mmCIF file of all heavy atoms in Angstrom:
data_model
loop_
_atom_site.group_PDB
_atom_site.id
_atom_site.type_symbol
_atom_site.label_atom_id
_atom_site.label_comp_id
_atom_site.label_asym_id
_atom_site.label_seq_id
_atom_site.Cartn_x
_atom_site.Cartn_y
_atom_site.Cartn_z
ATOM 1 N N VAL A 21 4.666 -7.565 -7.632
ATOM 2 C CA VAL A 21 5.589 -7.260 -6.524
ATOM 3 C C VAL A 21 6.922 -6.789 -7.102
ATOM 4 O O VAL A 21 7.454 -5.748 -6.709
ATOM 5 C CB VAL A 21 5.802 -8.494 -5.601
ATOM 6 C CG1 VAL A 21 6.958 -8.259 -4.637
ATOM 7 C CG2 VAL A 21 4.525 -8.812 -4.844
ATOM 8 N N ILE A 22 7.439 -7.538 -8.064
ATOM 9 C CA ILE A 22 8.737 -7.201 -8.673
ATOM 10 C C ILE A 22 8.665 -5.853 -9.379
ATOM 11 O O ILE A 22 9.553 -5.004 -9.215
ATOM 12 C CB ILE A 22 9.201 -8.323 -9.619
ATOM 13 C CG1 ILE A 22 9.541 -9.577 -8.801
ATOM 14 C CG2 ILE A 22 10.387 -7.885 -10.477
ATOM 15 C CD1 ILE A 22 9.692 -10.846 -9.627
ATOM 16 N N LEU A 23 7.606 -5.629 -10.162
ATOM 17 C CA LEU A 23 7.449 -4.345 -10.868
ATOM 18 C C LEU A 23 7.384 -3.175 -9.878
ATOM 19 O O LEU A 23 7.989 -2.128 -10.112
ATOM 20 C CB LEU A 23 6.179 -4.352 -11.716
ATOM 21 C CG LEU A 23 6.257 -4.980 -13.092
ATOM 22 C CD1 LEU A 23 4.877 -4.952 -13.751
ATOM 23 C CD2 LEU A 23 7.261 -4.254 -13.967
ATOM 24 N N THR A 24 6.644 -3.351 -8.803
ATOM 25 C CA THR A 24 6.512 -2.280 -7.810
ATOM 26 C C THR A 24 7.858 -1.996 -7.152
ATOM 27 O O THR A 24 8.255 -0.835 -7.009
ATOM 28 C CB THR A 24 5.454 -2.663 -6.751
ATOM 29 O OG1 THR A 24 4.216 -2.939 -7.422
ATOM 30 C CG2 THR A 24 5.253 -1.532 -5.753
ATOM 31 N N GLN A 25 8.568 -3.048 -6.788
ATOM 32 C CA GLN A 25 9.891 -2.861 -6.182
ATOM 33 C C GLN A 25 10.837 -2.156 -7.145
ATOM 34 O O GLN A 25 11.569 -1.236 -6.746
ATOM 35 C CB GLN A 25 10.475 -4.213 -5.746
ATOM 36 C CG GLN A 25 9.748 -4.802 -4.566
ATOM 37 C CD GLN A 25 10.153 -6.236 -4.254
ATOM 38 O OE1 GLN A 25 10.465 -7.025 -5.151
ATOM 39 N NE2 GLN A 25 10.117 -6.586 -2.983
ATOM 40 N N GLU A 26 10.812 -2.552 -8.413
ATOM 41 C CA GLU A 26 11.681 -1.913 -9.412
ATOM 42 C C GLU A 26 11.322 -0.441 -9.597
ATOM 43 O O GLU A 26 12.204 0.407 -9.725
ATOM 44 C CB GLU A 26 11.593 -2.649 -10.752
ATOM 45 C CG GLU A 26 12.301 -3.980 -10.741
ATOM 46 C CD GLU A 26 12.134 -4.765 -12.041
ATOM 47 O OE1 GLU A 26 11.418 -4.297 -12.959
ATOM 48 O OE2 GLU A 26 12.723 -5.866 -12.131
ATOM 49 N N ALA A 27 10.039 -0.143 -9.602
ATOM 50 C CA ALA A 27 9.615 1.253 -9.768
ATOM 51 C C ALA A 27 10.111 2.110 -8.607
ATOM 52 O O ALA A 27 10.605 3.221 -8.821
ATOM 53 C CB ALA A 27 8.097 1.331 -9.879
ATOM 54 N N PHE A 28 9.994 1.613 -7.397
ATOM 55 C CA PHE A 28 10.461 2.399 -6.247
ATOM 56 C C PHE A 28 11.981 2.516 -6.220
ATOM 57 O O PHE A 28 12.513 3.493 -5.691
ATOM 58 C CB PHE A 28 9.911 1.845 -4.931
ATOM 59 C CG PHE A 28 8.522 2.327 -4.633
ATOM 60 C CD1 PHE A 28 7.441 1.462 -4.717
ATOM 61 C CD2 PHE A 28 8.279 3.655 -4.292
ATOM 62 C CE1 PHE A 28 6.153 1.911 -4.457
ATOM 63 C CE2 PHE A 28 6.995 4.110 -4.037
ATOM 64 C CZ PHE A 28 5.930 3.231 -4.118
ATOM 65 N N GLU A 29 12.681 1.544 -6.791
ATOM 66 C CA GLU A 29 14.141 1.656 -6.893
ATOM 67 C C GLU A 29 14.531 2.824 -7.794
ATOM 68 O O GLU A 29 15.594 3.415 -7.626
ATOM 69 C CB GLU A 29 14.753 0.353 -7.408
ATOM 70 C CG GLU A 29 14.790 -0.733 -6.356
ATOM 71 C CD GLU A 29 15.175 -2.100 -6.913
ATOM 72 O OE1 GLU A 29 15.673 -2.165 -8.067
ATOM 73 O OE2 GLU A 29 14.975 -3.091 -6.198
ATOM 74 N N GLU A 30 13.662 3.163 -8.755
ATOM 75 C CA GLU A 30 13.914 4.272 -9.677
ATOM 76 C C GLU A 30 13.595 5.627 -9.035
ATOM 77 O O GLU A 30 13.952 6.667 -9.575
ATOM 78 C CB GLU A 30 13.041 4.135 -10.929
ATOM 79 C CG GLU A 30 13.231 2.865 -11.705
ATOM 80 C CD GLU A 30 14.497 2.898 -12.535
ATOM 81 O OE1 GLU A 30 14.778 3.945 -13.131
ATOM 82 O OE2 GLU A 30 15.195 1.872 -12.565
ATOM 83 N N SER A 31 12.901 5.608 -7.922
ATOM 84 C CA SER A 31 12.401 6.860 -7.345
ATOM 85 C C SER A 31 13.505 7.667 -6.679
ATOM 86 O O SER A 31 14.589 7.166 -6.379
ATOM 87 C CB SER A 31 11.276 6.571 -6.350
ATOM 88 O OG SER A 31 11.805 6.178 -5.112
ATOM 89 N N LYS A 32 13.168 8.919 -6.416
ATOM 90 C CA LYS A 32 14.094 9.842 -5.766
ATOM 91 C C LYS A 32 14.129 9.629 -4.258
ATOM 92 O O LYS A 32 15.023 10.079 -3.582
ATOM 93 C CB LYS A 32 13.659 11.283 -6.046
ATOM 94 C CG LYS A 32 13.629 11.649 -7.494
ATOM 95 C CD LYS A 32 13.056 13.046 -7.687
ATOM 96 C CE LYS A 32 12.997 13.373 -9.149
ATOM 97 N NZ LYS A 32 11.713 13.858 -9.575
ATOM 98 N N ILE A 33 13.119 8.968 -3.740
ATOM 99 C CA ILE A 33 12.966 8.757 -2.305
ATOM 100 C C ILE A 33 13.476 7.368 -1.946
ATOM 101 O O ILE A 33 13.157 6.391 -2.607
ATOM 102 C CB ILE A 33 11.468 8.865 -1.899
ATOM 103 C CG1 ILE A 33 10.874 10.193 -2.337
ATOM 104 C CG2 ILE A 33 11.276 8.614 -0.427
ATOM 105 C CD1 ILE A 33 11.327 11.384 -1.555
ATOM 106 N N LYS A 34 14.243 7.299 -0.884
ATOM 107 C CA LYS A 34 14.738 6.024 -0.405
ATOM 108 C C LYS A 34 13.585 5.289 0.280
ATOM 109 O O LYS A 34 12.930 5.837 1.166
ATOM 110 C CB LYS A 34 15.890 6.255 0.572
ATOM 111 C CG LYS A 34 16.650 5.023 0.942
ATOM 112 C CD LYS A 34 17.860 5.397 1.794
ATOM 113 C CE LYS A 34 18.575 4.146 2.261
ATOM 114 N NZ LYS A 34 19.640 4.463 3.199
ATOM 115 N N THR A 35 13.321 4.061 -0.150
ATOM 116 C CA THR A 35 12.209 3.293 0.406
ATOM 117 C C THR A 35 12.676 1.926 0.895
ATOM 118 O O THR A 35 13.677 1.385 0.420
ATOM 119 C CB THR A 35 11.090 3.071 -0.638
ATOM 120 O OG1 THR A 35 11.645 2.433 -1.774
ATOM 121 C CG2 THR A 35 10.428 4.378 -1.034
ATOM 122 N N GLN A 36 11.918 1.411 1.840
ATOM 123 C CA GLN A 36 12.066 0.028 2.292
ATOM 124 C C GLN A 36 10.703 -0.604 2.062
ATOM 125 O O GLN A 36 9.694 -0.091 2.564
ATOM 126 C CB GLN A 36 12.435 -0.022 3.767
ATOM 127 C CG GLN A 36 12.421 -1.420 4.336
ATOM 128 C CD GLN A 36 12.393 -1.435 5.857
ATOM 129 O OE1 GLN A 36 12.695 -0.452 6.499
ATOM 130 N NE2 GLN A 36 12.006 -2.565 6.410
ATOM 131 N N ILE A 37 10.656 -1.684 1.299
ATOM 132 C CA ILE A 37 9.378 -2.311 0.978
ATOM 133 C C ILE A 37 9.285 -3.668 1.656
ATOM 134 O O ILE A 37 10.153 -4.523 1.478
ATOM 135 C CB ILE A 37 9.183 -2.455 -0.544
ATOM 136 C CG1 ILE A 37 9.189 -1.063 -1.188
ATOM 137 C CG2 ILE A 37 7.886 -3.194 -0.859
ATOM 138 C CD1 ILE A 37 9.058 -1.057 -2.683
ATOM 139 N N SER A 38 8.234 -3.840 2.446
ATOM 140 C CA SER A 38 7.902 -5.137 3.019
ATOM 141 C C SER A 38 6.728 -5.674 2.223
ATOM 142 O O SER A 38 5.871 -4.902 1.781
ATOM 143 C CB SER A 38 7.506 -4.991 4.486
ATOM 144 O OG SER A 38 8.584 -4.475 5.247
ATOM 145 N N VAL A 39 6.668 -6.987 2.045
ATOM 146 C CA VAL A 39 5.611 -7.592 1.240
ATOM 147 C C VAL A 39 4.826 -8.593 2.078
ATOM 148 O O VAL A 39 5.408 -9.432 2.767
ATOM 149 C CB VAL A 39 6.199 -8.303 -0.005
ATOM 150 C CG1 VAL A 39 5.101 -8.968 -0.823
ATOM 151 C CG2 VAL A 39 6.984 -7.319 -0.863
#
Side-chain angles (χ1 to χ4, degrees):
V21 169
I22 292 166
L23 276 177
T24 303
Q25 290 171 326
E26 287 176 358
F28 277 109
E29 285 170 14
E30 301 283 319
S31 81
K32 300 174 182 129
I33 304 288
K34 191 174 176 187
T35 56
Q36 172 196 343
I37 299 178
S38 298
V39 178

